[in-house]
């Protein structure tokens, strides 16, 4: 490849550190698509002959077939996917293969390949995330009335419903999909034709190749086209936030599956045992989803560090953009599928959750609200009165509803028998009818709305 300028080949160590075919072979389909579009454009513009373009296209289709069949011989000596394809093309069609690289560089070639790969992967992730949202909405619809503790600071706060809890994650994943969609819209510009960094003197039609590859438009600046990887960073940022959301749910599943919580059960499909303790049921699928978040976040951090000090335009440092991205998005895709499986598999113990929902005086806010609503107390006074009643119940080691009316009136004389209607956990969740609240009627409505919005094809 360097024949004119170099008299000897690279040393073994140089070849080892320089070669990227060990991972960028994954760009083969995108590389061939970009080359086919480029060759067709060159022929239309009269830069190469129609016969040469036809030979190139036939050869590229044949190479794609070899790669898909697993018969293509990748060579580290040829460094990367681009030169592996071009070398094989030369074997197949001879001299016309040498015309394919007219008016382009590996710099714009890899930029277009990677944009295409990231775009394809975002589309695949979106489909998986839509399925995960559907799993949350189905679970919410089926358990809209199941009462469970709601926590702040991991302390009992107020009763909620299990369905409401599931819909919280449907909302998070909806925002994740929005971030991926935003990133996709920004990356959908074609760098092909930017060449090495300055554009080209050949009369190319960049709009034609952009259309052929499904891009909205060509990139507007040739330096920027080959110099930046912010489109990858943005996708990795969206992936990191998504991985954090999945990790938070995974952490909750790990807690719920413990005997101490006992809120939910995973089947054998998503659990493992212990090599020494026969009684163990470990929620390892959830733990692995939680753990893989670190790989996704690490890929974002790693690429940010690679890019932070690079002057324009292209530097070979940017070859480090792919391995971490491939690994991170592979890991996230697997986690999305695994999480959807766990959500569908998860069986909540409704009796255990409801029994726990009233612990920690979780209906204290309902009592304070009743004091405001029925007695007209200012909320701050109602808060103080409720705090004294909770202290009394705690001192006696009983629940709020176990106190007598006389006990309650000893703190606030105006309290009536009606107060006991708000001290049960079911009454509590039923009263939370504000938009977005945990009332079962709200949960049913929101779950059905999600399922309708997602539709059978998501």
């Amino acid at each position: 490849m360097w024949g004119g300028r170099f008299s000897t080949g690279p040393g073994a160590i140089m070849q080892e550190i320089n070669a990227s075919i060990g991972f960028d072979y994954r760009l083969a389909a995108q590389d061939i698509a970009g080359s086919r579009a480029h060759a067709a454009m060159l022929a239309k513009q009269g830069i190469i002959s129609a016969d040469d373009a036809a030979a190139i296209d036939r050869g590229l289709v044949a190479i794609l077939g070899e790669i898909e069949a697993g018969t293509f011989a990748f060579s580290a000596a040829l460094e990367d996917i681009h030169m592996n394809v071009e070398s094989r093309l030369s074997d197949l069609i001879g001299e016309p293969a040498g015309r394919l690289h007219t008016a382009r560089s590996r710099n714009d070639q890899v930029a277009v390949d990677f944009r295409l790969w990231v775009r394809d992967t975002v589309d695949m992730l979106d489909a998986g995330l839509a399925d995960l949202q559907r799993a949350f909405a189905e679970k919410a619809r089926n358990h809209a009335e199941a009462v469970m503790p709601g926590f702040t600071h991991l302390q009992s706060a107020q009763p909620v419903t299990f369905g409401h809890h599931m819909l919280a994650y449907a909302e998070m994943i909806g925002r994740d999909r929005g971030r991926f969609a935003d990133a996709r819209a920004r990356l959908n510009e074609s760098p092909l034709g930017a060449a090495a960094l300055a554009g080209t003197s050949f009369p190319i039609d960049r709009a034609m190749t952009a259309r052929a590859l499904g891009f909205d438009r060509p990139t507007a600046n040739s330096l920027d086209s080959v110099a930046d990887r912010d489109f990858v960073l943005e996708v990795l940022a969206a992936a990191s936030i998504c991985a954090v959301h999945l990790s938070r749910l995974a952490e909750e599943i790990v807690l719920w599956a413990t005997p101490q919580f006992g809120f939910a059960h995973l089947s054998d499909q998503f659990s493992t045992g212990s090599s020494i303790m026969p009684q163990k049921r470990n929620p390892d699928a959830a733990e692995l989803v939680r753990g893989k978040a670190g790989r996704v976040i690490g890929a974002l951090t790693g690429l940010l560090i690679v890019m932070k000090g690079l002057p324009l335009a292209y530097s070979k440092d940017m070859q480090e953009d792919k391995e971490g991205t491939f690994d991170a998005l592979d890991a996230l895709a697997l986690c999305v599928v695994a999480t959807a499986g766990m959500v569908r598999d998860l069986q909540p113990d409704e009796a255990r959750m409801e029994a726990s929902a009233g612990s920690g005086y979780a209906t204290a806010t309902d009592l304070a609200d009743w004091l405001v609503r029925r007695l007209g107390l200012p909320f701050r006074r109602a808060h103080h009165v409720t705090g004294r009643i909770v202290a009394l119940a705690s001192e006696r080691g009983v629940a709020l509803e176990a106190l007598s009316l006389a006990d309650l009136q000893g703190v606030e004389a105006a309290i009536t028998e009606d107060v006991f209607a708000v001290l049960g956990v079911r009454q509590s969740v039923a009263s939370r009818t504000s938009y977005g609240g945990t009332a079962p009627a709200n949960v049913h409505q929101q779950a059905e709305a999600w399922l309708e919005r997602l539709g059978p094809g998501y």
Side-chain angles (χ1 to χ4, degrees), residues 58 66 68 89 139-140 149 163 174 194 198 264 289 299 369 456:
R58 286 194 303 271
E66 292 176 356
E68 290 175 343
L89 185 64
K139 190 66 71 171
V289 167
D369 289 346

Side-chain angles (χ1 to χ4, degrees), residues 372-395:
V372 171
R373 241 183 0 258
R374 294 296 297 272
L375 304 186
L377 270 61
F379 182 78
R380 282 301 165 204
R381 168 147 178 76
H383 188 284
H384 179 74
V385 168
T386 301
R388 289 178 59 197
I389 292 172
V390 168
L392 176 63
S394 178
E395 181 182 322

Side-chain angles (χ1 to χ4, degrees), residues 282-295:
N282 300 323
D284 280 3
E287 293 173 17
L288 288 165
V289 167
R290 184 177 60 185
K292 287 181 187 295
R295 293 170 69 169

Side-chain angles (χ1 to χ4, degrees), residues 136 162 165-166 169 246-258 261 263-266 270 283-287 290 338-339 342-343 346:
F136 283 128
F162 187 74
H165 200 104
M166 292 291 98
Y169 284 102
L246 301 184
S247 180
R248 295 182 72 183
L249 174 67
E251 169 69 8
E252 292 192 310
I253 291 173
V254 169
L255 289 173
W256 294 344
T258 62
F261 272 79
F263 286 0
H265 174 81
L266 284 174
F270 291 95
D284 280 3
E287 293 173 17
R290 184 177 60 185
T339 302
M342 281 191 290
V343 170
L346 197 66

